Amino acid sequence: MLGRVRFCSWTLSLTCFALSSLTWCEAAAPRLSTVTPRGAQRGTEVELLFQGERFEDAQQIVIYQPGMEVTSLEVVNDKQVKAKVKIAENCTLGTKHFRVRTASGLSDLQSFRVGSLPVVAEVEPNNEFATPQAIGMNVTIDGRITNEDVDYYVVEAKKGDRITAEIEAIRLGDSFFDAYIAILNEARFELSTSDDAALVYQDGIASIVAPEDGKYIVQIRETSYGNGNFYRCHIGHFPRPRAIVPAGGKAGSTVAVKYLGDVAGEIAQDLVIPAEASGEIFAHAQDALGLDPCGIPFRISDLDNVIEQEPNNDPATASAAQAPAAYNGVIGESGDVDFFKFTATKGQVLDIRVYARQIRSELDSVMYVHNLLGGNIAGNDDTGGPDSYIRFNPPADGEYLVSVRDHLGRGGHAFHYRIEAVPVAPRLEASINEFDRYVETRLVVPQGGRLPILIATTRRDFGGPIEYLGENLPAGVTIESATLAADQAVAQVLIAAAADAPLGAALSKLTGKLVDPNQPNTVVIGNTRQDVTMVRGQNNRDFFVEVPPALGLAVSQKAPFSVQIVEPKVPLVQSGVLQLKVVATRDEGFTAPIKVDLLLNPPGVNSSREVSIPEGQTEASITINSAGNAQVNDHKIAIRAKATVGNGPVESGSAFGTLKVAEPYVKLKFQQAAIEQNADSAMVVEVEVVKPFEGDAQVTLMGLPNKVTAPAMTINKETKELIFPLKAEADAPPGMNKNIFCTVVITENGEPITHNIGSGVLRVDKPLPPKADAPVVAQAPVPMPEQKPAEAPKKPLSRLEQLRLEQKQKLEALQNGGAETKTDSQ
C-alpha cells in the first residue's frame, strides 16, 4: 500500500527559545534522526530527546500543530537536544510534526504521536509467551522490536469485555516496520490477528470480545520476524470502529454519524465539527469504556450529505439524491452494489469522485454513471489515484444513476465510501520540488541572502499566468516571484532575508494566484504544500508520505558567501551556446568551493549541472545550450549556490537576472557533397543573414569525419555563399556523414553570439580500382609543368551534373576503344 497522509490543522504554533548563536565556521544545517519517546499522553508534560547531528547551536523546536508548548530546552552536545514539552488537555489526538532550528539551519521533519491513554514503557525480557509483561487495560505501550524479536504483554479480562490492540509502527514514520499484532488466549490460540489494515496503513488492529474470564496475551512482532523499530501499541476496552457514515460534513456543523465495524457493534453519535476545520479531520468514536485513540478520516466540505437507504442495489431501488451533493454508504456484503439517482441538466458538467482508499476504506471502487434503465454511460476503476473518478457531461436533461461496487466483489463493515458530485471548478495545486533526489528541501534563508526554490504548479480547468505570494513570513523576509507564464508548470521563487532579519522561524504559506487581466472575474488561489516522504519502500519508492499543515521557514545566520549573475550583453540564440558568468563574494577566510547551477532552465534550454567556483576563486561560467525550438523571450533566471561551511552544507542564491533567447542571426543551407579518399573537394553552404551584424563572423565546419579537414572561414552581413575546401587523407573512413554543421561566432557588444547551425551531408568514397585488362604502356618521362599559384576551389558539381559528366566520359571511352579495334583488324 502507498501511504499518503494529509494533516490539515486550523491553528499553527511555534515554540521558541533564544540561545546563543555561533559563527558560520562552527556549524551548518542540522539533521534530526529520531525523537524519543515516540509519543505521549495529552494533558501531561514529557521530556523529549532529539537525536541527530550538528545541534551545537540549537535554538528552537518548531512544532507545526497547536496544543504543545516547550517549557525548557537544553543542548546536550552536537548530537542531542533535550526539551520538556507540555501537552494541553484538549490537544487533538494524532500525529504532530517537529523540526529543530539551529542558528545555521533547519532540521529534517520528524513526527510525534499524541494519545489519550497513559504510557507504559516496554520492560525486557518479554519475548517469551510464558513470561509476558503484565500491564493494565487502557494503556499505550512504548516499545521497540529488534531483529527476530517478539514482544508479549498480558492483560486480564472478564467474559464479554471488549479487548482492542492497535499498533502504530509505519505511522511513526521511522522505517519500513511492517508490524504484526495478535490477541491469544492462555492456550496460545490466536483469537484475532492483523498484519495490514487499510484504515491504519501498514499497521494492524486486533479486537475481540472476551469469550471467558481469564488472561489474554498480545503478541507484537515484525510480520516476517525481521528487524522492526519503535512502536506504540494501544491496548484496552476502548471502541475501535473501522468505518464512518457519512464520511464528511460541513465545517461548524453537527453531523449524526454511525461508526461501523467495532466488535461490540455499531455506535451512533453526533460529531461536532469545528468551524475552522478544513480539508480533513479525524473522527473519534467514544462510549462509556473509552475513546478511540486514533480515529477515522473525515472530509470537510460544503456539500449536503445523502445517506444510502437499503435496499438500493439495483436501478429500481436507487437512493434518491441530488447534484451537487455527497453520497455516503457502505458496501456491506460480498456482491453488494449501491445505486443513487440524481437529476442533471444538459451542459451541467459534473466531477464525480469516489473517496474510499483516500479515507482509508477497504473498498477498491468501481463506479458507473447509468441511464434510468441501468445502461452504462461512463465508468471508471481508478483515475489519478486508487479511487474512481468520472467527468460527466449529461447528454440531455433528466434523471441519471450512479453506482459503486468493489472491484473484486468484496464487502463488509470496513468498505465505506463517499461520492462527491460537484460542478467543474478551477483549481490550483502547488508543491515544492526536490532539488536532490530523495532529499527533502529545507526552507532556510540566510541573513542578507536568498533561498531559491521551485514550485510545481498544476492548473485544473483553467489557464493563465500565476504569481506566488507569501503569508506569515518570518520578520525581515520577503518573496520575489517570477510570474509563471501560462504555458509553464514550474515556478521560480526567491525567499529573501534582510541583513538584519532576526534568527527565527515561522509557519508560513506560499500562495499561488491567477493574475490574468483577460480573466478579471476568475479567482483561483491555491496553497503550496511540501510532501515529506517519511518511509521509502523497495527501490526507494515513496511509501508513507506526510504533508504538514504549513511550510516551516527559517532565517539562519549569514552565509560566508553570496553569488551574482553577470547578465550577458548578448542573447542566447536558438541552437546556440552561451557562457553565463557567475561571480561570488566571499567572507574573509572562507575559501571552500561553491557549487553553482541554474535554478530552472527556460523552455528549450539546457545548462551544465556540474559547475563549481574553485577553491579560493570568485568566478565560474555555466555553459548554456539552446535547442532549435527554444522559446524566444526574455527569461528570468537565478543561480542556486551550495557550499560546505564548517561541518555541513549551506545554501544561498542570486537575485533574478534576465536571459534573452533570440532567433538566429543567420541561416545556412548545405548542399550535399562528396569526396574520395586522398583527394580534394568542396562543400557549398548558402548563407542568409536574418539580422544584420557588424564586422566579420567566424565560421567553422563541424562534424567532419576523421581524416577529413576544412579551414575556418569568415562571413559578413553581405555574404551569400560559403565554399569550404575539403581535403581527405588516404585512410579517411568511407561512408555517409549526416551530422555536418557550422559553428558561427558573431561578436556583439564585445561578447560572442555562438550559433550551431545546419544539417549537412558529406559522403566519403573509395576511389574506383584500375581496370584489370588495361594495357600497360611505357611512357617517356613527362617534364613537370611550371608551378602556378593555387587557384581558389571551383564550385562543385551537383549530383545531376556529376552523373551527366560520368555518362559522357563512358561514351567517349567506348567510342575511342571501338575505333582502335577496327584499325587493328584492318
Side-chain angles (χ1 to χ4, degrees):
M1 287 184 297
L2 177 63
R4 294 192 63 82
V5 185
R6 298 279 192 271
F7 290 94
C8 299
S9 177
W10 43 91
T11 310
L12 305 177
S13 68
L14 282 177
T15 302
C16 176
F17 272 78
L19 301 181
S20 60
S21 62
L22 305 179
T23 61
W24 59 258
C25 62
E26 294 176 289
R31 180 176 179 272
L32 177 59
S33 301
T34 60
V35 180
T36 52
R38 299 300 293 115
Q41 182 185 19
R42 63 182 176 184
T44 65
E45 187 172 28
V46 60
E47 183 175 84
L48 302 181
L49 179 62
F50 296 80
Q51 299 185 77
E53 298 175 357
R54 301 186 285 272
F55 284 164
E56 58 267 38
D57 57 343
Q59 296 184 342
Q60 179 181 1
I61 305 299
V62 179
I63 306 176
Y64 282 73
Q65 288 82 5
M68 302 180 72
E69 177 188 1
V70 176
T71 58
S72 69
L73 183 67
E74 176 192 354
V75 178
V76 179
N77 52 46
D78 65 337
K79 292 181 172 57
Q80 293 184 333
V81 172
K82 287 183 180 179
K84 288 186 178 179
V85 178
K86 185 177 182 181
I87 307 174
E89 291 277 359
N90 63 347
C91 182
T92 55
L93 303 179
T95 297
K96 313 301 173 184
H97 299 103
F98 291 158
R99 292 188 196 267
V100 176
R101 185 189 65 78
T102 67
S104 50
L106 198 63
S107 76
D108 321 61
L109 186 84
Q110 289 293 336
S111 62
F112 181 85
R113 299 282 292 185
V114 171
S116 59
L117 302 175
V119 177
V120 175
E122 175 195 5
V123 178
E124 294 281 5
N126 66 337
N127 55 351
E128 296 291 339
F129 179 84
T131 56
Q133 178 179 340
I135 59 171
M137 293 293 281
N138 298 318
V139 298
T140 296
I141 304 297
D142 187 358
R144 188 171 190 175
I145 291 292
T146 57
N147 193 39
E148 298 184 358
D149 188 15
V150 181
D151 288 348
Y152 292 97
Y153 302 92
V154 60
V155 297
E156 295 190 6
K158 299 292 186 180
K159 181 179 180 179
D161 284 351
R162 176 176 53 204
I163 305 174
T164 297
E166 176 176 346
I167 191 166
E168 298 171 356
I170 280 288
R171 287 175 289 171
L172 297 183
D174 293 323
S175 64
F176 196 91
F177 178 11
D178 187 4
Y180 173 91
I181 191 166
I183 300 175
L184 302 87
N185 61 17
E186 293 180 87
R188 206 165 186 166
F189 286 101
E190 292 179 337
L191 305 179
S192 177
T193 66
S194 182
D195 180 4
D196 303 331
L199 178 61
V200 291
Y201 300 89
Q202 199 87 359
D203 295 334
I205 306 171
S207 293
I208 64 167
V209 174
E212 57 186 2
D213 295 356
K215 295 181 178 180
Y216 294 87
I217 292 85
V218 175
Q219 179 196 66
I220 299 171
R221 59 177 172 84
E222 200 277 331
T223 188
S224 57
Y225 293 92
N227 194 31
N229 209 322
F230 295 106
Y231 66 82
R232 283 165 48 83
C233 185
H234 311 289
I235 301 175
H237 297 308
F238 52 80
R240 192 50 172 123
R242 309 301 175 89
I244 185 172
V245 177
K250 299 178 182 180
S253 67
T254 299
V255 180
V257 300
K258 290 182 179 180
Y259 293 99
L260 309 174
D262 185 78
V263 291
E266 181 180 298
I267 301 171
Q269 288 181 348
D270 286 341
L271 177 64
V272 179
I273 305 172
E276 308 85 4
S278 63
E280 183 181 275
I281 63 174
F282 282 79
H284 298 263
Q286 187 170 12
D287 62 14
L289 298 177
L291 175 71
D292 170 8
C294 295
I296 300 173
F298 186 87
R299 284 184 51 76
I300 306 300
S301 78
D302 293 330
L303 297 173
D304 292 332
N305 280 321
V306 176
I307 312 298
E308 68 159 322
Q309 300 296 319
E310 291 284 2
N312 68 333
N313 56 352
D314 57 46
T317 59
S319 296
Q322 70 275 358
Y327 316 142
N328 300 266
V330 61
I331 301 301
E333 60 187 9
S334 296
D336 189 14
V337 181
D338 287 349
F339 282 83
F340 295 86
K341 181 168 62 176
F342 65 94
T343 301
T345 303
K346 182 177 181 179
Q348 177 196 16
V349 183
L350 296 173
D351 277 344
I352 306 177
R353 189 180 302 274
V354 174
Y355 290 88
R357 291 298 177 92
Q358 295 173 83
I359 56 174
R360 311 314 307 163
S361 169
E362 293 276 0
L363 178 67
D364 181 5
S365 66
V366 176
M367 177 175 64
Y368 286 94
V369 174
H370 313 264
N371 58 32
L372 279 183
L373 299 177
N376 295 339
I377 298 176
N380 183 256
D381 178 6
D382 48 5
T383 294
D387 292 329
S388 306
Y389 163 77
I390 293 172
R391 174 158 291 187
F392 177 53
N393 189 357
D397 295 354
E399 292 185 319
Y400 296 91
L401 304 171
V402 61
S403 69
V404 62
R405 61 175 175 83
D406 183 72
H407 183 72
L408 298 178
R410 302 171 304 156
H413 291 304
F415 289 73
H416 66 302
Y417 60 84
R418 177 178 174 87
I419 303 173
E420 295 186 1
V422 298
V424 173
R427 190 171 78 253
L428 175 65
E429 299 172 359
S431 62
I432 292 178
N433 272 4
E434 289 181 351
F435 287 108
D436 303 312
R437 198 174 187 187
Y438 311 135
V439 178
E440 173 195 347
T441 298
R442 315 285 179 82
L443 302 182
V444 181
V445 54
Q447 292 171 319
R450 292 176 176 82
L451 170 69
I453 63 171
L454 297 175
I455 300 179
T457 306
T458 302
R459 301 169 180 85
R460 304 287 187 188
D461 297 300
F462 79 100
I466 303 294
E467 185 177 18
Y468 280 90
L469 306 172
E471 298 180 31
N472 197 38
L473 303 174
V477 173
T478 56
I479 295 294
E480 302 171 25
S481 171
T483 300
L484 183 65
D487 60 348
Q488 297 179 19
V490 179
Q492 302 178 90
V493 174
L494 302 182
I495 304 173
D500 59 352
L503 302 184
L507 296 176
S508 306
K509 289 185 178 181
L510 294 177
T511 304
K513 181 180 180 180
L514 175 67
V515 286
D516 189 351
N518 297 321
Q519 304 180 71
N521 299 322
T522 302
V523 178
V524 186
I525 297 174
N527 287 328
T528 303
R529 72 180 194 272
Q530 184 173 22
D531 296 355
V532 181
T533 301
M534 308 299 290
V535 179
R536 295 190 182 277
Q538 293 181 349
N539 301 319
N540 277 316
R541 180 185 177 189
D542 291 351
F543 184 83
F544 186 75
V545 179
E546 295 202 30
V547 183
L551 303 176
L553 177 56
V555 176
S556 67
Q557 60 193 1
K558 178 183 179 295
F561 65 92
S562 61
V563 294
Q564 298 83 36
I565 293 173
V566 178
E567 283 199 8
K569 299 176 183 178
V570 296
L572 169 66
V573 294
Q574 293 172 320
S575 297
V577 181
L578 183 142
Q579 299 297 323
L580 181 68
K581 187 177 179 180
V582 181
V583 176
T585 301
R586 298 176 180 268
D587 285 1
E588 185 177 354
F590 179 72
T591 61
I594 305 171
K595 186 178 185 299
V596 292
D597 53 35
L598 223 56
L599 174 60
L600 180 68
N601 292 322
V605 173
N606 287 313
S607 61
S608 173
R609 296 292 178 181
E610 300 299 329
V611 176
S612 291
I613 299 175
E615 182 175 356
Q617 298 185 28
T618 58
E619 294 182 3
S621 292
I622 298 175
T623 301
I624 302 178
N625 299 276
S626 64
N629 62 348
Q631 188 181 84
V632 174
N633 207 339
D634 289 349
H635 298 278
K636 291 294 185 182
I637 59 171
I639 295 297
R640 177 172 173 257
K642 186 175 182 179
T644 299
V645 179
N647 56 3
V650 169
E651 294 190 23
S652 187
S654 73
F656 280 121
T658 300
L659 176 66
K660 182 180 180 64
V661 177
E663 294 180 351
Y665 283 32
V666 297
K667 295 182 179 179
L668 303 180
K669 183 178 180 181
F670 289 72
Q671 292 187 10
Q672 292 188 355
I675 190 172
E676 287 189 351
Q677 294 171 326
N678 197 29
D680 296 335
S681 186
M683 175 170 278
V684 178
V685 180
E686 298 175 17
V687 179
E688 178 187 355
V689 176
V690 179
K691 180 179 179 181
F693 55 91
E694 298 301 321
D696 291 339
Q698 298 294 318
V699 186
T700 305
L701 197 59
M702 309 294 289
L704 292 172
N706 190 28
K707 306 289 187 172
V708 177
T709 58
M713 308 286 286
T714 61
I715 61 172
N716 57 42
K717 60 184 178 181
E718 305 297 336
T719 303
K720 303 297 183 184
E721 186 179 80
L722 269 175
I723 300 178
F724 284 96
L726 300 177
K727 183 174 183 60
E729 298 182 23
D731 55 348
M736 190 71 75
N737 301 275
K738 298 182 179 181
N739 297 312
I740 309 298
F741 66 97
C742 280
T743 295
V744 181
V745 180
I746 299 171
T747 301
E748 187 176 270
N749 298 322
E751 296 183 3
I753 306 173
T754 303
H755 302 63
N756 291 319
I757 311 173
S759 56
V761 176
L762 174 63
R763 190 183 75 245
V764 178
D765 297 327
K766 290 183 178 181
L768 292 175
K771 294 181 179 180
D773 56 351
V776 178
V777 179
Q779 295 182 350
V782 178
M784 293 294 293
E786 181 182 352
Q787 295 290 331
K788 295 182 180 180
E791 297 181 358
K794 296 180 180 179
K795 180 177 178 179
L797 300 176
S798 68
R799 183 57 180 158
L800 180 59
E801 291 170 333
Q802 289 179 4
L803 293 172
R804 287 173 176 169
L805 179 59
E806 290 174 3
Q807 184 65 22
K808 180 180 178 182
Q809 291 170 344
K810 289 179 181 178
L811 289 173
E812 290 176 351
L814 287 172
Q815 291 171 357
N816 293 337
E820 292 172 358
T821 304
K822 185 176 181 180
T823 302
D824 290 342
S825 63
Q826 293 174 343

